[in-house]
Amino acid sequence: MASIQSHQTAQIKVERTGEVVEVTCSDLPWNSAQDGEEREMGSELIHYAEFEFDGGTAAWEVWEYPAGCFNYSESNVEGGTLLRDFKFLFGP
């Protein structure tokens, strides 16, 4: 399985304080799960992580399909505003 990487950090503006928090992709506790059945080019994997900050939570889901290739991502922030998101890629 390839590792999740990003060309840049994510930035979150905390709703309660106005502080801007910077999150590094490599510091997140990534978990993975297979999404559904085997497909033509192998299994699709979903990687997900959460980050808690003062007054909120940010969550990311990243789809890998085929193996080693970025397919799609979603992010959700509660208690803040996502100012800049990750630019995901997969590496060795």
Side-chain angles (χ1 to χ4, degrees), residues 52-64:
E52 292 184 9
F53 55 90
D54 186 23
T57 303
W60 288 270
E61 292 182 318
V62 180
W63 283 262
E64 176 184 355

Side-chain angles (χ1 to χ4, degrees), residues 12-21 54 79-80 83:
I12 300 166
K13 184 174 183 179
V14 180
E15 190 174 287
R16 197 166 58 116
T17 64
E19 175 189 8
V20 175
V21 177
D54 186 23
L83 299 176

Side-chain angles (χ1 to χ4, degrees), residues 17-37:
T17 64
E19 175 189 8
V20 175
V21 177
E22 200 159 75
V23 183
T24 304
C25 181
S26 61
D27 290 339
L28 292 173
W30 289 98
N31 295 295
S32 302
Q34 187 172 335
D35 185 26
E37 299 178 17

Side-chain angles (χ1 to χ4, degrees), residues 39-55:
R39 293 172 53 183
E40 187 176 308
M41 294 185 287
S43 299
E44 180 175 40
L45 293 175
I46 299 176
H47 307 278
Y48 51 95
E50 287 189 1
F51 174 76
E52 292 184 9
F53 55 90
D54 186 23

